[in-house]
């Protein structure tokens, strides 16, 4: 495969990878950032993504999978457009994190690692996301929402539904 002509990544991300692997004394040290950037662009670590990352670094696909499967933030199936991660670790649990998680499950009709049928939301129960001082906290893609109550959950979801609509309208304008 010629990486220039057959890449699954955008030219911008491919160039970023080329620069990244040269930054480390060992090319495989770039593996985790490459997987995160790849997931951001493609949505998940497909077989094609894993194959190309392996080729770019010069390791086997099995090497990539052995590392990638260790990290819970890396996905092997598509997530929703908005991936809702609800922390139920100790600080959040003590301040109502489980009730927040239950409310998201009710509102979305899905459980852990589920995706809504319209593909808009996915849901995950996660460990600490580093916002303990503002517990209970969630993360939606890269945006934090903190000091939440279950009553705020429908409004948060509506805000993302509105955002999706607005972005959809902008894309078709
Ligand atoms: S325990 Fe929930 S953010 Fe740290």
């Amino acid at each position: 495969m010629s990486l220039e002509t057959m890449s699954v990544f955008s030219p911008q991300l491919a160039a970023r990878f080329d620069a990244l692997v040269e930054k480390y004394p060992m090319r495989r040290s770039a593996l985790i950032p490459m997987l995160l950037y790849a997931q951001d662009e493609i949505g998940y670590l497909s077989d094609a993504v894993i194959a190309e990352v392996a080729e770019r670094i010069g390791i086997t696909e099995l090497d990539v999978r052995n590392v990638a499967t260790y990290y819970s933030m890396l996905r092997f199936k598509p997530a929703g457009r908005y991936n809702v991660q609800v922390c139920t670790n100790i600080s959040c649990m003590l301040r109502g994190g489980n009730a927040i998680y239950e409310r998201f499950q009710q509102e979305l009709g899905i459980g852990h690692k589920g995706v809504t049928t319209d593909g808009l939301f996915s849901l995950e129960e996660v460990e600490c996301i580093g916002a303990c001082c503002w517990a209970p906290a969630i993360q939606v893609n890269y945006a934090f929402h903190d000091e939440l109550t279950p009553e705020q959950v429908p409004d948060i979801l509506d805000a993302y539904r509105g955002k999706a609509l607005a972005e959809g309208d902008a894309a078709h304008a």
Side-chain angles (χ1 to χ4, degrees):
M1 176 175 79
S2 161
L3 289 176
E4 286 70 35
T5 57
M6 299 290 290
S7 177
V8 296
F9 304 118
S10 65
Q12 293 80 7
L13 186 56
R16 191 173 195 180
F17 285 162
D18 288 343
L20 199 59
V21 290
E22 298 302 329
K23 278 192 178 163
Y24 296 93
M26 293 177 63
R27 292 172 70 87
R28 67 181 301 150
S29 300
L31 177 57
I32 295 295
M34 284 174 75
L35 291 175
L36 286 168
Y37 291 137
Q39 180 170 276
D40 280 347
E41 182 168 280
I42 305 294
Y44 69 109
L45 304 181
S46 65
D47 290 346
V49 165
I50 289 171
E52 184 170 334
V53 167
E55 187 173 350
R56 285 180 176 278
I57 293 179
I59 58 179
T60 68
E61 292 177 39
L62 185 59
D63 288 332
V64 175
R65 288 180 194 280
N66 283 343
V67 172
T69 51
Y70 183 77
Y71 293 93
S72 60
M73 72 281 201
L74 295 172
R75 301 188 282 276
F76 299 90
K77 289 192 296 189
R81 177 168 179 167
Y82 301 111
N83 188 40
V84 179
Q85 297 181 303
V86 183
C87 175
T88 55
N89 214 179
I90 188 72
S91 299
C92 291
M93 191 239 328
L94 291 173
R95 291 178 53 84
N98 285 317
I100 304 281
Y101 181 52
E102 279 168 24
R103 187 66 186 262
F104 272 108
Q105 289 182 93
Q106 285 169 9
E107 293 291 328
L108 294 173
I110 54 176
H112 181 60
K113 299 277 186 191
V115 182
T116 55
T117 48
D118 61 5
L120 200 54
F121 294 103
S122 47
L123 181 64
E124 287 181 286
E125 181 181 15
V126 297
E127 301 296 329
C128 181
I129 53 176
C132 316
C133 293
W134 304 277
I138 69 164
Q139 196 175 1
V140 182
N141 295 352
Y142 286 111
F144 281 87
H145 301 266
D146 45 44
E147 299 192 269
L148 291 178
T149 64
E151 292 70 33
Q152 290 174 288
V153 167
D155 288 344
I156 290 171
L157 292 173
D158 281 346
Y160 281 101
R161 289 184 184 107
K163 185 172 155 68
L165 273 177
E167 288 171 355
D169 288 347
H172 294 103

